[in-house]
Amino acid sequence: MLMQKLYVPLATRTNQYIMADIKVTDALLAHYDSYEHCYRSISEQFFKLTADQELFNVHVIANDKLPVVRYHTEAYTLQTAEQILFFYNPAYHEAQSLYFEPDYKARKLRFLFLATGSDIRANAASFHNRVRAVVKDLLPLLPEKQLNVKIRDHQHMTYDLFASAKGENKTYGYKLRNIYMRYKSRQCELPSNYTSTAYVKVTLPLSRQLKMSVLKQDTDDYSALYQYLEDRFLAAANQKHLKHVAMVGNGLTPLVRNSKYEELGSTKETVLIGFNPNDNEPKFLQHWDGKKQVEAIDFILVATHDDYSEPGYCRYMNQVEAALKEFAKAIELDPKTQEMMVGFYQHISYPL
């Protein structure tokens, strides 16, 4: 019975954001005097529709940068060469912004919707319905018809695996159903031609104590430390029969993708971690360089199709938690004084 739910700390953070991508064609741009005129005109229509649906943290991205959404007690936005990082607290923060460069021709317009309020996961289907209503109402207003649109729904929950060791004993149980089934039970019907991914990401800060325990002395080569962590992580994952795992220790932002549909690769800021959920063969992706010092290592565990069974991902997540606890024990992590932040991510996407 305990496997029917995953019990996480009451302080677990939940978040959701949805993107609607519309390809910018020459035919669409021909209806406007300039790129800027196009972006501003469409965003004005968009913001009016979102207000009607009572969606109050929305953004239009017309510079082809990748949005990355993170929880923070303060609201602010940072831009890099390739990314826009949105930090916000869903309980309090609202925003409405357009990001563009006047003379830049965007490949696509990204409409970003950040969930607000409380009970994010419980209200996810309602939020998705309102987002889809905005997109469907926007399309007839555009001067060019039959534009390609893709909806991407991202949900995640984050918690300290060792919260109980720090005295946080109140917990809440989640069934962790996949998004399609959860939405279907809440009057939100999605197209059958969707793709979905579920995975866990754990970021391990490389503390001074951890470095000294392995390296023993100052060095410019961190291979021994990274290999030490890799060996113990793989041992714990294999013991719990977790098949699709990755380790990223090169300072790049890992982006998990379905490798059946996307080519793997990397940029100056990101690295694609690709697994096919329908493939149950063991696979390990390694991205670290012993000559490069990083502040933290990302460990990623991606669920396969066989890891899901109704009512949800609870069995899988209990296996993941058991493996992570074994890993933490193997590297002598102190649960009372150190954190191991576990992020459970679910994505679903489909063409509208």
Side-chain angles (χ1 to χ4, degrees):
M1 182 61 69
L2 291 177
M3 300 295 280
Q4 300 299 311
K5 286 188 177 182
L6 177 74
Y7 289 89
V8 298
L10 201 60
T12 294
R13 299 195 303 265
T14 58
N15 208 346
Q16 180 183 15
Y17 65 96
I18 300 176
M19 287 189 296
D21 295 347
I22 296 181
K23 187 175 180 181
V24 177
T25 64
D26 290 336
L28 176 65
L29 290 170
H31 294 278
Y32 301 94
D33 297 333
S34 63
Y35 299 150
E36 179 175 354
H37 180 215
C38 173
Y39 306 150
R40 289 193 180 279
S41 297
I42 294 176
S43 63
E44 287 176 7
Q45 295 170 308
F46 171 72
F47 291 140
K48 183 180 183 303
L49 293 172
T50 55
D52 293 340
Q53 288 290 341
E54 298 184 342
L55 298 169
F56 300 124
N57 203 325
V58 292
H59 309 269
V60 180
I61 301 172
N63 56 14
D64 289 326
K65 293 184 179 182
L66 177 72
V68 177
V69 181
R70 295 288 184 266
Y71 173 91
H72 203 278
T73 53
E74 298 180 17
Y76 59 96
T77 304
L78 299 175
Q79 291 197 55
T80 68
E82 299 178 7
Q83 304 173 70
I84 303 182
L85 290 84
F86 295 89
F87 296 86
Y88 87 116
N89 183 336
Y92 304 112
H93 298 142
E94 300 177 358
Q96 179 178 292
S97 303
L98 165 64
Y99 299 90
F100 74 100
E101 296 171 20
D103 298 322
Y104 178 79
K105 179 184 176 182
R107 289 181 291 106
K108 62 179 67 174
L109 289 178
R110 281 195 171 106
F111 300 92
L112 177 64
F113 306 77
L114 306 185
T116 57
S118 58
D119 296 325
I120 298 296
R121 195 170 180 89
N123 294 318
S126 172
F127 178 57
H128 191 103
N129 274 333
R130 288 185 290 148
V131 166
R132 193 161 50 179
V134 168
V135 177
K136 287 184 175 180
D137 288 343
L138 176 64
L139 291 175
L141 301 179
L142 301 181
E144 194 66 26
K145 310 307 176 186
Q146 297 182 333
L147 294 170
N148 293 326
V149 182
K150 191 164 191 176
I151 304 289
R152 307 173 191 267
D153 193 328
H154 302 255
Q155 300 173 34
H156 54 267
M157 53 195 298
T158 308
Y159 60 95
D160 179 9
L161 185 65
F162 300 121
S164 61
K166 302 177 181 68
E168 299 178 23
N169 296 315
K170 294 183 178 180
T171 62
Y172 186 86
Y174 286 95
K175 292 183 179 179
L176 302 182
R177 302 185 78 189
N178 70 39
I179 293 176
Y180 184 86
M181 296 300 294
R182 180 153 45 96
Y183 280 10
K184 188 174 182 179
S185 68
R186 300 194 179 193
Q187 292 74 54
C188 178
E189 290 282 349
L190 299 183
S192 59
N193 58 334
Y194 69 89
T195 60
S196 65
T197 307
Y199 66 94
V200 173
K201 182 166 79 73
V202 177
T203 300
L204 177 69
L206 297 183
S207 66
R208 179 173 174 271
Q209 178 184 356
L210 181 58
K211 292 176 184 176
M212 290 180 62
S213 68
V214 179
L215 298 176
K216 307 299 183 184
Q217 60 186 6
D218 289 337
T219 178
D220 292 331
D221 190 345
Y222 294 86
S223 298
L225 174 60
Y226 299 158
Q227 191 64 58
Y228 169 86
L229 293 172
E230 177 185 312
D231 291 344
R232 282 148 185 81
F233 171 66
L234 281 179
N238 290 336
Q239 183 183 354
K240 300 303 178 183
H241 310 291
L242 301 169
K243 297 178 179 178
H244 289 178
V245 296
M247 173 178 168
V248 179
N250 54 12
L252 300 181
T253 300
L255 304 175
V256 178
R257 297 290 186 264
N258 187 325
S259 63
K260 182 179 180 180
Y261 300 99
E262 293 199 41
E263 298 265 337
L264 301 187
S266 62
T267 67
K268 291 182 178 179
E269 297 184 12
T270 64
V271 56
L272 291 183
I273 303 299
F275 295 97
N276 182 350
N278 294 318
D279 180 5
N280 289 298
E281 290 299 313
K283 184 178 181 181
F284 171 59
L285 298 180
Q286 173 209 74
H287 296 278
W288 58 261
D289 180 355
K291 298 296 183 181
K292 187 169 185 177
Q293 181 181 8
V294 296
E295 297 300 318
I297 300 285
D298 288 315
F299 298 95
I300 296 164
L301 306 99
V302 180
T304 69
H305 180 76
D306 284 356
D307 289 323
Y308 181 83
S309 58
E310 283 291 346
Y313 285 101
C314 301
R315 178 178 58 84
Y316 173 73
M317 281 302 295
N318 277 289
Q319 287 178 276
V320 168
E321 283 199 351
L324 292 175
K325 288 176 181 177
E326 285 296 321
F327 173 54
K329 183 178 179 181
I331 63 174
E332 300 181 349
L333 195 71
D334 184 355
K336 292 184 178 180
T337 61
Q338 295 174 280
E339 290 183 329
M340 181 172 277
M341 299 304 295
V342 177
F344 174 64
Y345 294 76
Q346 289 180 278
H347 297 177
I348 193 166
S349 63
Y350 58 89
L352 189 63

